[in-house]
Amino acid sequence: MKFSRQTTLRAQASVAGVGVHSGLPVTLTLGPAPVDAGFIFVRTGLEGSDREVQATAEQVIATDFATVLGDRNGPLVSTAEHVLAALRGMGVDNATIEIDGPEVPIMDGSAAAFIAAIDQAGIVTQPAQRRFIQVLKPISVKIGDSFGEIRPHTNGFRIEVEIDFTNPVIGQQAYAFDLNPEGFRREVGRARTFGLMCDVARLWSAGYALGASFDNTVVFDDERLLNTEGLRYADECARHKVLDVIGDLSLAGLPLLGAYRSVRGGHKLNHAVLTALLADRTAWRVVEGEAARRTTRAVGEVGRGIVGGRVAAAFGPDVS
């Protein structure tokens, strides 16, 4: 993680695909933004004028199957977490995200296409110091069997994820990661979303996962992985959870200096911990780059696949 100057994109770059839940075609364009702008979604293709929404925790209106951002008039963009993870993971501070449909395209189920778009656009330094939210004391949240905690950490932003599935192919996995762009590109950015075949009919009947396929989702039944090309990592499911954490916690509005631990978590838990942190003004402070300077490198712990003991649908609320 670099601690000096803010960054934005040099130019625009676009990707096109379908929404994993809506199944609708959509084009997304990443572009530059001014100093201190953060991440701004611009929803086009609406009747009347375009609408904008700031990618912050206050604009989250749903977390059941994905992170949904909106305003007083309703939802504007769904499944925002993967493109936000790519921007934060690659060290971009300020960007516009123009989208002509209701949902960010799922692409291959990971952040790889968004990383490629960032590479195409290029990253440039801006004339302002990078600012961070530094965690000063532990904040924890428990929701059922899920537990999340964010705590002080002296060396950048660390994510520790544990998952636990009754599905014997997924089982228990753990993965820890210290965020920096090269580590994100290599170790986390290509990890795909995952689901259980037994949940597909239920999700379709509820109007979800209409765009899901073997091209964008890692799918398991009770005995095996169904994707013919196999996994990208032995612990790809846990790594994808880390990807989701990076995207969901980017909604702090600034990069975090702290360590986040998630046990059997998902979007709802990530959002709950972040909002609890931001609500306690004694738990954090804003610091500028020079005051926060540390050196970090990515540290990945090999996941472990052990048969779990708790029920959790991979595509279900708070889990996918």
Side-chain angles (χ1 to χ4, degrees), residues 121-311:
I123 299 174
V124 294
T125 301
Q126 295 178 291
Q129 285 209 353
R130 178 172 283 160
R131 298 182 301 145
F132 299 82
I133 290 177
Q134 181 183 23
V135 179
L136 301 178
K137 69 180 186 182
I139 296 290
S140 63
V141 173
K142 191 174 187 298
I143 303 175
D145 286 337
S146 300
F147 173 80
E149 178 187 51
I150 193 162
R151 63 184 189 272
H153 182 62
T154 60
N155 209 18
F157 182 42
R158 179 175 176 84
I159 308 106
E160 302 162 357
V161 162
E162 300 172 33
I163 63 174
D164 187 355
F165 286 79
T166 57
N167 179 284
V169 189
I170 301 174
Q172 296 176 344
Q173 297 177 20
Y175 192 76
F177 178 70
D178 290 283
L179 182 62
N180 72 78
E182 286 310 309
F184 178 80
R185 181 195 299 275
R186 184 178 63 251
E187 305 294 341
V188 173
R190 296 179 63 249
R192 297 163 293 176
T193 193
F194 60 97
L196 300 178
M197 196 66 190
C198 62
D199 292 324
V200 170
R202 176 179 59 84
L203 289 166
W204 283 347
S205 66
Y208 292 100
L210 301 179
S213 72
F214 290 117
D215 293 328
N216 57 41
T217 306
V218 177
V219 184
F220 302 89
D221 66 14
D222 289 338
E223 298 180 350
R224 62 193 174 97
L225 170 70
L226 300 180
N227 302 67
T228 57
E229 72 274 23
L231 293 171
R232 294 177 177 175
Y233 314 93
D235 50 3
E236 186 166 359
C237 297
R239 294 188 193 222
H240 185 77
K241 288 291 191 178
V242 170
L243 173 67
D244 281 345
V245 166
I246 295 168
D248 288 341
L249 268 59
S250 75
L251 297 169
L254 296 172
L256 289 165
L257 297 178
Y260 178 75
R261 179 172 177 243
S262 166
V263 180
R264 295 182 297 276
H267 302 300
K268 187 179 294 295
L269 180 71
N270 297 340
H271 180 62
V273 174
L274 179 59
T275 53
L277 172 71
L278 297 177
D280 186 345
R281 283 299 283 110
T282 69
W284 57 276
R285 65 177 179 177
V286 175
V287 294
E288 289 195 339
E290 291 304 317
R293 183 174 296 278
R294 296 288 189 274
T295 58
T296 64
R297 64 183 181 89
V299 179
E301 297 180 355
V302 176
R304 56 190 189 279
I306 307 171
V307 176
R310 293 179 176 83
V311 175

